[in-house]
Short mmCIF file of all heavy atoms in Angstrom, two decimals:
data_model
loop_
_atom_site.label_atom_id
_atom_site.label_comp_id
_atom_site.label_asym_id
_atom_site.label_seq_id
_atom_site.Cartn_x
_atom_site.Cartn_y
_atom_site.Cartn_z
N LEU E 1 120.83 121.78 80.96
CA LEU E 1 121.97 122.01 81.86
C LEU E 1 122.60 120.70 82.32
O LEU E 1 123.78 120.66 82.66
CB LEU E 1 121.53 122.85 83.05
CG LEU E 1 121.07 124.27 82.71
CD1 LEU E 1 120.70 125.02 83.99
CD2 LEU E 1 122.14 125.03 81.94
N GLU E 2 121.83 119.63 82.29
CA GLU E 2 122.40 118.32 82.59
C GLU E 2 123.41 117.93 81.51
O GLU E 2 124.46 117.33 81.80
CB GLU E 2 121.29 117.27 82.69
CG GLU E 2 120.29 117.53 83.80
CD GLU E 2 119.14 116.54 83.78
OE1 GLU E 2 119.25 115.51 83.07
OE2 GLU E 2 118.14 116.79 84.47
N LYS E 3 123.11 118.29 80.28
CA LYS E 3 124.03 118.03 79.17
C LYS E 3 125.31 118.86 79.34
O LYS E 3 126.41 118.38 79.06
CB LYS E 3 123.36 118.35 77.84
CG LYS E 3 124.19 117.95 76.63
CD LYS E 3 123.58 118.48 75.34
CE LYS E 3 122.17 118.00 75.16
NZ LYS E 3 121.60 118.48 73.88
N VAL E 4 125.15 120.10 79.79
CA VAL E 4 126.31 120.94 80.04
C VAL E 4 127.23 120.28 81.05
O VAL E 4 128.45 120.20 80.86
CB VAL E 4 125.88 122.34 80.52
CG1 VAL E 4 127.09 123.18 80.91
CG2 VAL E 4 125.08 123.06 79.44
N SER E 5 126.66 119.79 82.14
CA SER E 5 127.45 119.11 83.17
C SER E 5 128.16 117.89 82.61
O SER E 5 129.34 117.64 82.91
CB SER E 5 126.56 118.71 84.34
OG SER E 5 126.02 119.83 84.98
N ARG E 6 127.45 117.14 81.80
CA ARG E 6 128.03 115.94 81.21
C ARG E 6 129.19 116.29 80.29
O ARG E 6 130.26 115.67 80.34
CB ARG E 6 126.94 115.18 80.44
CG ARG E 6 127.44 114.00 79.62
CD ARG E 6 128.05 112.92 80.48
NE ARG E 6 128.45 111.78 79.68
CZ ARG E 6 129.44 110.95 79.99
NH1 ARG E 6 130.14 111.16 81.12
NH2 ARG E 6 129.72 109.92 79.24
N LEU E 7 129.02 117.32 79.48
CA LEU E 7 130.08 117.72 78.56
C LEU E 7 131.28 118.32 79.31
O LEU E 7 132.43 118.11 78.90
CB LEU E 7 129.54 118.72 77.54
CG LEU E 7 128.70 118.08 76.43
CD1 LEU E 7 127.88 119.13 75.70
CD2 LEU E 7 129.59 117.33 75.45
N ALA E 8 131.02 119.02 80.39
CA ALA E 8 132.13 119.54 81.20
C ALA E 8 132.99 118.40 81.70
O ALA E 8 134.22 118.46 81.68
CB ALA E 8 131.58 120.37 82.35
N SER E 9 132.33 117.32 82.13
CA SER E 9 133.04 116.15 82.62
C SER E 9 133.82 115.48 81.48
O SER E 9 134.98 115.06 81.66
CB SER E 9 132.05 115.16 83.22
OG SER E 9 132.69 113.97 83.62
N MET E 10 133.21 115.39 80.31
CA MET E 10 133.86 114.76 79.17
C MET E 10 135.10 115.56 78.74
O MET E 10 136.13 114.98 78.39
CB MET E 10 132.87 114.64 78.01
CG MET E 10 131.75 113.64 78.26
SD MET E 10 130.38 113.76 77.07
CE MET E 10 131.19 113.26 75.54
N LEU E 11 135.00 116.88 78.76
CA LEU E 11 136.14 117.71 78.39
C LEU E 11 137.29 117.56 79.38
O LEU E 11 138.46 117.47 79.00
CB LEU E 11 135.71 119.18 78.28
CG LEU E 11 134.83 119.53 77.09
CD1 LEU E 11 134.25 120.93 77.24
CD2 LEU E 11 135.61 119.43 75.78
N ARG E 12 136.95 117.51 80.66
CA ARG E 12 137.99 117.32 81.68
C ARG E 12 138.68 115.97 81.50
O ARG E 12 139.90 115.86 81.65
CB ARG E 12 137.38 117.41 83.08
CG ARG E 12 136.99 118.82 83.51
CD ARG E 12 136.74 118.88 85.01
NE ARG E 12 135.65 118.00 85.42
CZ ARG E 12 134.37 118.36 85.47
NH1 ARG E 12 134.02 119.60 85.13
NH2 ARG E 12 133.44 117.51 85.85
N LYS E 13 137.90 114.97 81.17
CA LYS E 13 138.42 113.61 81.04
C LYS E 13 139.48 113.52 79.95
O LYS E 13 140.45 112.74 80.08
CB LYS E 13 137.28 112.63 80.78
CG LYS E 13 137.71 111.17 80.81
CD LYS E 13 136.50 110.25 80.71
CE LYS E 13 136.92 108.79 80.78
NZ LYS E 13 135.74 107.88 80.69
N ILE E 14 139.31 114.27 78.87
CA ILE E 14 140.28 114.19 77.78
C ILE E 14 141.35 115.30 77.89
O ILE E 14 142.19 115.44 77.01
CB ILE E 14 139.60 114.26 76.40
CG1 ILE E 14 138.92 115.61 76.18
CG2 ILE E 14 138.62 113.10 76.22
CD1 ILE E 14 138.44 115.81 74.75
N GLY E 15 141.27 116.07 78.95
CA GLY E 15 142.25 117.13 79.16
C GLY E 15 142.09 118.32 78.23
O GLY E 15 143.04 119.05 77.96
N SER E 16 140.87 118.52 77.73
CA SER E 16 140.62 119.62 76.81
C SER E 16 140.40 120.93 77.57
O SER E 16 139.77 120.96 78.62
CB SER E 16 139.36 119.33 75.97
OG SER E 16 139.00 120.46 75.21
N ARG E 17 140.91 122.01 76.99
CA ARG E 17 140.71 123.34 77.56
C ARG E 17 139.68 124.12 76.74
O ARG E 17 139.60 125.35 76.83
CB ARG E 17 142.03 124.09 77.60
CG ARG E 17 143.08 123.39 78.45
CD ARG E 17 144.38 124.17 78.52
NE ARG E 17 144.22 125.44 79.20
CZ ARG E 17 145.20 126.33 79.36
NH1 ARG E 17 146.40 126.08 78.87
NH2 ARG E 17 144.98 127.46 79.99
N ALA E 18 138.89 123.41 75.97
CA ALA E 18 137.87 124.05 75.15
C ALA E 18 136.85 124.78 76.02
O ALA E 18 136.50 124.32 77.11
CB ALA E 18 137.16 123.02 74.27
N HIS E 19 136.37 125.91 75.52
CA HIS E 19 135.30 126.62 76.20
C HIS E 19 134.01 125.81 76.11
O HIS E 19 133.79 125.08 75.13
CB HIS E 19 135.07 127.99 75.57
CG HIS E 19 136.15 128.99 75.87
ND1 HIS E 19 136.38 129.49 77.12
CD2 HIS E 19 137.05 129.58 75.05
CE1 HIS E 19 137.37 130.36 77.08
NE2 HIS E 19 137.81 130.42 75.84
N LEU E 20 133.15 126.00 77.11
CA LEU E 20 131.83 125.38 77.11
C LEU E 20 130.82 126.52 77.16
O LEU E 20 130.70 127.22 78.16
CB LEU E 20 131.69 124.44 78.30
CG LEU E 20 130.41 123.62 78.42
CD1 LEU E 20 130.09 122.90 77.11
CD2 LEU E 20 130.55 122.60 79.55
N GLN E 21 130.13 126.71 76.06
CA GLN E 21 129.23 127.84 75.88
C GLN E 21 127.77 127.39 75.94
O GLN E 21 127.44 126.28 75.49
CB GLN E 21 129.50 128.50 74.52
CG GLN E 21 128.71 129.76 74.23
CD GLN E 21 129.06 130.34 72.87
OE1 GLN E 21 128.72 129.75 71.83
NE2 GLN E 21 129.76 131.47 72.84
N VAL E 22 126.91 128.25 76.48
CA VAL E 22 125.46 127.98 76.46
C VAL E 22 124.77 129.16 75.80
O VAL E 22 125.18 130.31 75.95
CB VAL E 22 124.88 127.73 77.86
CG1 VAL E 22 125.42 126.45 78.45
CG2 VAL E 22 125.16 128.91 78.78
N ASP E 23 123.69 128.85 75.09
CA ASP E 23 122.95 129.88 74.36
C ASP E 23 121.47 129.56 74.42
O ASP E 23 121.04 128.50 73.97
CB ASP E 23 123.43 129.93 72.91
CG ASP E 23 122.74 131.03 72.10
OD1 ASP E 23 121.93 131.78 72.66
OD2 ASP E 23 123.04 131.14 70.90
N GLY E 24 120.70 130.50 74.98
CA GLY E 24 119.25 130.36 75.01
C GLY E 24 118.68 130.57 76.40
O GLY E 24 118.95 129.78 77.30
N GLY E 25 117.94 131.64 76.57
CA GLY E 25 117.27 131.89 77.84
C GLY E 25 118.20 132.30 78.96
O GLY E 25 117.87 132.10 80.14
N ILE E 26 119.35 132.87 78.62
CA ILE E 26 120.31 133.25 79.66
C ILE E 26 120.02 134.67 80.14
O ILE E 26 120.00 135.62 79.36
CB ILE E 26 121.76 133.16 79.15
CG1 ILE E 26 122.08 131.73 78.73
CG2 ILE E 26 122.73 133.64 80.23
CD1 ILE E 26 122.00 130.70 79.86
N ASP E 27 119.78 134.79 81.44
CA ASP E 27 119.59 136.08 82.09
C ASP E 27 120.32 136.05 83.42
O ASP E 27 121.10 135.13 83.68
CB ASP E 27 118.10 136.42 82.26
CG ASP E 27 117.33 135.32 83.00
OD1 ASP E 27 117.95 134.56 83.79
OD2 ASP E 27 116.11 135.22 82.81
N VAL E 28 120.08 137.03 84.27
CA VAL E 28 120.80 137.08 85.55
C VAL E 28 120.50 135.85 86.39
O VAL E 28 121.37 135.35 87.12
CB VAL E 28 120.45 138.37 86.31
CG1 VAL E 28 121.13 138.39 87.67
CG2 VAL E 28 120.87 139.59 85.51
N LEU E 29 119.29 135.34 86.30
CA LEU E 29 118.92 134.16 87.10
C LEU E 29 119.55 132.88 86.56
O LEU E 29 120.18 132.12 87.28
CB LEU E 29 117.40 134.01 87.12
CG LEU E 29 116.60 135.10 87.83
CD1 LEU E 29 115.12 134.90 87.58
CD2 LEU E 29 116.89 135.10 89.32
N THR E 30 119.37 132.65 85.25
CA THR E 30 119.83 131.38 84.68
C THR E 30 121.33 131.35 84.41
O THR E 30 121.91 130.27 84.28
CB THR E 30 119.07 131.08 83.37
OG1 THR E 30 119.26 132.18 82.47
CG2 THR E 30 117.58 130.90 83.64
N ALA E 31 121.96 132.51 84.34
CA ALA E 31 123.40 132.54 84.10
C ALA E 31 124.15 131.79 85.18
O ALA E 31 125.11 131.05 84.91
CB ALA E 31 123.89 134.00 84.05
#
C-alpha cells in the first residue's frame, strides 16, 4: 500500500487521470 500511495503521487505529478488498481487480499477491511 505504500507503493500505491507513491504511484498515486506520481500520477498526480504528471497530470495523469489513469486509474490506480489494486489486486490481492481485498475484502471489506482492506478495501
Side-chain angles (χ1 to χ4, degrees):
L1 296 182
E2 298 175 13
K3 187 189 302 182
V4 174
S5 296
R6 173 63 177 152
L7 283 164
S9 176
M10 291 167 66
L11 289 169
R12 287 195 299 270
K13 188 173 181 179
I14 65 170
S16 172
R17 300 181 65 182
H19 288 293
L20 184 50
Q21 184 180 70
V22 294
D23 183 2
I26 300 298
D27 55 25
V28 177
L29 294 172
T30 57

